[in-house]
Amino acid sequence: MRNMMRNDEAFTGLEAAIVLIAFVVVAAVFSYVVLGAGFFTTQKSQEVVYTGVSQASSSIEILGDVYGLKNATATDIDRIRFTVGLSAGGTAIDFTKVTMTWSDASNVYILPAEPTLYAAATDPRAGYWRIVDIQNGATTDALLENTEQYTIVAFLGDGKHLDTNEKFNLEIRPSTGAALGIKRTGPAKIDAVNLLY
């Protein structure tokens, strides 16, 4: 019993160094994991911000008014004519990759682009859309650039038309960037050319 009470062995310096090194290694591994997770989160947040900025910066806008053109053989509107351009600071948009969707109270359908996308002053076939005029552009390609303006005619298609006081939405969706929705209502009285509000 006396030997147990007189045991004077202590924690040596070497043992203390080993324990200290173990604590330092564990702390270093833990901090590396925490920092790695933080860097990963920061990188993902940065990607989200850059994606949002690129989508917002490549949007288009309506320039001027939107017109409804009367059907030649009936008393309704079968073509929509409008002009688009890039919003301030927007990046170029390739109109060969743009899709348009028409929706009204009874229809929702996609209007495809004409195979010949640009034809000066020539309306598209029924059920298609086309660029009919390019302003401020040096070329007649389908790439809408900084100062260019495209006048577009969307032909609603066989059996599809816009009546008086009928609401519609024509959505223009580029391959990158935000979609542009043209929400208007047919006029109370249909003339040859109608300003749509």
Side-chain angles (χ1 to χ4, degrees):
M1 186 88 155
R2 237 175 203 208
N3 281 342
M4 286 180 85
M5 302 277 271
R6 289 190 148 272
N7 189 353
D8 291 330
E9 284 185 29
F11 206 46
T12 65
L14 183 59
E15 292 170 333
I18 291 171
V19 170
L20 181 64
I21 290 170
F23 278 127
V24 168
V25 168
V26 168
V29 169
F30 181 71
S31 64
Y32 176 76
V33 169
V34 169
L35 286 174
F39 288 143
F40 177 76
T41 303
T42 303
Q43 181 182 7
K44 285 296 178 189
S45 300
Q46 185 180 19
E47 287 176 14
V48 168
V49 168
Y50 283 138
T51 302
V53 168
S54 70
Q55 287 189 355
S57 67
S58 62
S59 61
I60 55 178
E61 62 184 359
I62 294 290
L63 303 174
D65 294 320
V66 177
Y67 298 97
L69 307 177
K70 182 179 175 186
N71 188 336
T73 60
T75 58
D76 52 33
I77 293 171
D78 64 353
R79 288 161 292 151
I80 308 296
R81 183 183 178 108
F82 55 93
T83 302
V84 295
L86 291 178
S87 57
T91 56
I93 294 177
D94 184 3
F95 263 73
T96 60
K97 297 178 182 173
V98 167
T99 58
M100 290 193 193
T101 305
W102 171 270
S103 62
D104 57 32
S106 57
N107 297 300
V108 175
Y109 57 92
I110 293 174
L111 289 169
E114 278 277 9
T116 305
L117 190 58
Y118 172 68
T122 305
D123 284 351
R125 293 176 292 155
Y128 290 86
W129 66 270
R130 165 182 280 160
I131 301 167
V132 296
D133 188 28
I134 297 177
Q135 296 291 322
N136 304 326
T139 62
T140 57
D141 61 1
L143 187 66
L144 180 63
E145 296 173 305
N146 194 17
T147 60
E148 289 180 326
Q149 298 175 2
Y150 286 177
T151 300
I152 297 172
V153 172
F155 201 136
L156 303 185
D158 295 327
K160 299 176 178 79
H161 54 268
L162 180 66
D163 285 323
T164 56
N165 300 318
E166 184 179 6
K167 295 181 186 225
F168 72 92
N169 181 33
L170 180 62
E171 183 180 80
I172 305 165
R173 183 173 297 279
S175 59
T176 60
L180 172 67
I182 302 173
K183 294 181 181 183
R184 300 287 192 274
T185 303
K189 179 179 178 281
I190 295 177
D191 296 318
V193 178
N194 303 277
L195 186 59
L196 303 177
Y197 295 102

